[in-house]
């Protein structure tokens, strides 16, 4: 692993150009590794070369406010030549979500930014109650703090295996003070049961239901998970770089004109520059995803289950054996020395995610994701081999592990899903 030697506290200030030259050399040295590294991180994914190329264009320097590319609205002209791509991308997301294009908002610059917009837009008056999922049950770490900072009363509820505790939720709804239920399941191996929550929330107006599907957006858009909008959610938000293989930015969508207007009003206040080049990359990814998303989404879940079962075959303590291990892209694995095994895997070019205190599993363990290797073309065969490599890292079989990883890094990426645009949807195994 290439690292810099300059002391950030002194050397950088003394010779900033020298430091930048070393950083440039570091990037050049590590980029080949980055391009062939195998990332098993559930909160990351990889864009197609076409989408990624847009990030390095001059459009990353430009404002773009004319979302509909209207002829008389060009106050900033830098985005004019390619503005229709953003429009086409919004249309693609609307088709994937089955909603009106005008009610899809691609302006949020991250999933957390989309969360903030939704909380401000839909959270109601100060001192209103906003409900979200306990972090210990898989909710996002920041949601409760943000709710409180925005002047609302935060009330968390439990969620087990994708099912929010409806008794807890109804007791809160019955107080009449709940303005918003923000369902933000992040760490989960199960599909969130949106329909049961929506049915309950509908009985206690004016409470609204908003679903944050950042981790599962690609599974939703590919049809492998239910669309929350089909099951009663009033709106959704998401990041775009987890199971959906897009850039780091966010999305908001609804099927309701009033909800869209509230979200739009808050977004205009909270987002000025919307990082135009990443919006173009998101649009490109959505157009590509229409051609392969169904097959890819099914393959993600199939690959995650193969990885989980194969790790169990190698003697690992894998969460959820009694229920098929996972219904998402996430696989949770107890490892005796998680950081030591992670270090060895990183030396081989395999990156894993160590998380502490996942729901029902205290202490550090691997939280693995199948999305990125899948989008690069990994099949059940590669997932079984990855499980074997992780076992070799655990058991100290360095030479065997090095050889198999070298072979895997050459195989994965030969047939990425975005290159299969002419093929019908279907799991490729």
């Amino acid at each position: 692993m290439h690292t810099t030697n300059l002391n950030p506290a002194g050397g950088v200030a003394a010779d900033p150009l020298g430091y930048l030259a070393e950083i440039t050399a570091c990037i050049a040295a590590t980029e080949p590794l980055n391009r062939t590294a195998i990332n098993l991180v559930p909160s990351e994914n990889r864009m197609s070369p076409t989408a990624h190329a847009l990030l390095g264009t001059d459009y990353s320097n430009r404002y773009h406010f004319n979302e509909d590319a209207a002829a008389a609205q060009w106050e900033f002209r830098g985005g004019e030549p390619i503005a229709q791509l953003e429009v086409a991308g919004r249309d693609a997301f609307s088709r994937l979500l089955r909603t009106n294009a005008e009610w899809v908002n691609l302006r949020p610059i991250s999933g957390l930014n989309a969360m903030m917009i939704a909380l401000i837009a839909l959270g109601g008056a100060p001192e209103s109650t906003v409900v979200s999922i306990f972090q210990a049950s898989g909710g996002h770490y920041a949601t409760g703090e943000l709710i409180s900072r925005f002047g609302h009363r935060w009330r968390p509820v439990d969620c087990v295996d994708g099912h929010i505790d409806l008794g807890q939720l109804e007791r809160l709804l019955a107080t009449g003070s709940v303005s918003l239920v923000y369902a933000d399941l992040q760490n989960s191996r199960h599909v969130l049961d949106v329909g049961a929550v929506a049915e309950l929330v509908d009985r206690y107006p004016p409470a609204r239901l908003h679903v944050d599907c950042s981790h599962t957006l690609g599974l939703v858009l590919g049809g492998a998970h239910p669309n929350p909008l089909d099951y009663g959610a009033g709106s959704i938000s998401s990041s775009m770089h987890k199971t959906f293989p897009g850039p780091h930015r966010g999305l908001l969508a609804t099927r309701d004109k009033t909800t869209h207007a509230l979200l739009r009003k808050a977004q205009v206040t909270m987002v000025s520059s919307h990082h135009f080049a990443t919006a173009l990359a998101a649009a490109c990814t959505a157009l590509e995803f229409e051609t392969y998303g169904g097959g890819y989404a099914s393959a993600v879940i199939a690959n995650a289950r193969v990885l989980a079962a194969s790790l169990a075959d190698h003697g690992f303590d894998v969460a959820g054996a009694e229920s098929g291990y996972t219904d998402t892209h996430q696989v949770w694995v107890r490892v005796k020395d998680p950081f030591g095994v992670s270090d060895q895997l990183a030396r081989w070019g395999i990156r894993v995610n160590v998380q502490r205190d996942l729901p029902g599993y205290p202490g550090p363990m691997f939280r693995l994701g199948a999305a990125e290797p899948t989008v690069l073309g990994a099949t059940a065969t590669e997932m079984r081999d990855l499980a074997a490599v992780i076992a070799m890292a655990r058991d100290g079989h360095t030479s065997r592990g090095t050889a198999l990883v070298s072979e895997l890094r050459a195989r994965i990426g030969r047939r990425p899903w975005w290159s299969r645009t002419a093929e019908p949807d279907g799991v490729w195994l």
Side-chain angles (χ1 to χ4, degrees), residues 325-336:
Y325 297 109
T326 185
D327 296 321
T328 71
H329 61 306
Q330 296 189 24
V331 176
W332 301 352
V333 188
R334 181 78 71 191
V335 183
K336 184 176 180 180

Side-chain angles (χ1 to χ4, degrees), residues 322-376:
E322 70 286 349
S323 59
Y325 297 109
T326 185
D327 296 321
T328 71
H329 61 306
Q330 296 189 24
V331 176
W332 301 352
V333 188
R334 181 78 71 191
V335 183
K336 184 176 180 180
D337 179 16
F339 290 101
V341 176
S342 174
D343 288 345
Q344 179 59 65
L345 290 169
R347 286 191 288 270
W348 289 342
I350 295 180
R351 297 158 178 172
V352 298
N353 179 220
V354 180
Q355 289 275 306
R356 287 183 171 86
D357 300 329
L358 291 168
Y361 294 87
M365 64 191 302
F366 283 180
R367 184 187 67 155
L368 305 179
E372 185 168 339
T374 300
V375 84
L376 291 172

Side-chain angles (χ1 to χ4, degrees), residues 125-164:
E127 298 300 317
S128 297
T129 298
V130 177
V131 179
S132 72
I133 296 171
F134 263 119
Q135 184 179 353
S137 291
H140 194 280
Y141 77 92
T143 313
E145 177 72 13
L146 284 173
I147 289 168
S148 299
R149 284 181 176 270
F150 290 153
H152 304 303
R153 292 194 298 267
W154 175 47
R155 296 294 183 267
V157 292
D158 292 321
C159 184
V160 178
D161 295 344
H163 299 283
I164 288 176

Side-chain angles (χ1 to χ4, degrees), residues 348 389 392 397-411:
W348 289 342
V389 166
M392 291 173 191
H397 298 315
T398 304
S399 59
R400 291 171 55 200
T402 301
L404 182 52
V405 170
S406 178
E407 181 186 335
L408 275 169
R409 288 172 64 183
R411 276 159 41 197

Side-chain angles (χ1 to χ4, degrees), residues 172-362:
L172 291 169
L173 289 165
T175 66
S177 65
V178 175
S179 57
L180 177 65
V181 176
Y182 190 97
D184 58 332
L185 192 58
Q186 170 187 234
N187 287 322
S188 181
R189 297 170 291 105
H190 303 278
V191 181
L192 180 65
D193 183 1
V194 174
V197 178
E199 183 179 345
L200 180 57
V201 171
D202 282 348
R203 300 207 299 263
Y204 292 92
R208 300 172 180 269
L209 173 61
H210 177 95
V211 175
D212 186 330
C213 48
S214 290
H215 266 268
T216 58
L217 180 66
L219 307 180
V220 169
L221 298 185
H225 273 198
N227 182 345
L229 298 176
D230 289 343
Y231 286 80
S235 51
I236 64 167
S237 60
S238 184
S239 60
M240 293 191 185
H241 57 270
K242 297 180 175 73
T243 52
F244 184 74
H248 283 234
R249 63 176 300 109
L251 166 148
L252 294 157
T254 182
R255 291 176 179 165
D256 177 71
K257 182 177 181 179
T258 300
T259 302
H260 167 70
L262 291 170
L263 292 168
R264 174 67 173 172
K265 182 178 180 181
Q267 172 260 298
V268 168
T269 302
M270 297 188 67
V271 180
S272 176
S273 171
H274 75 307
H275 302 180
F276 185 39
T278 66
L280 296 174
C284 176
T285 306
L287 290 163
E288 294 170 337
F289 200 82
E290 285 192 288
T291 69
Y292 70 79
Y296 156 76
S298 297
V300 167
I301 297 174
N303 278 345
R305 289 171 175 162
V306 170
L307 177 62
S310 300
L311 286 166
D313 289 343
H314 284 284
F316 286 98
D317 179 9
V318 184
E322 70 286 349
S323 59
Y325 297 109
T326 185
D327 296 321
T328 71
H329 61 306
Q330 296 189 24
V331 176
W332 301 352
V333 188
R334 181 78 71 191
V335 183
K336 184 176 180 180
D337 179 16
F339 290 101
V341 176
S342 174
D343 288 345
Q344 179 59 65
L345 290 169
R347 286 191 288 270
W348 289 342
I350 295 180
R351 297 158 178 172
V352 298
N353 179 220
V354 180
Q355 289 275 306
R356 287 183 171 86
D357 300 329
L358 291 168
Y361 294 87

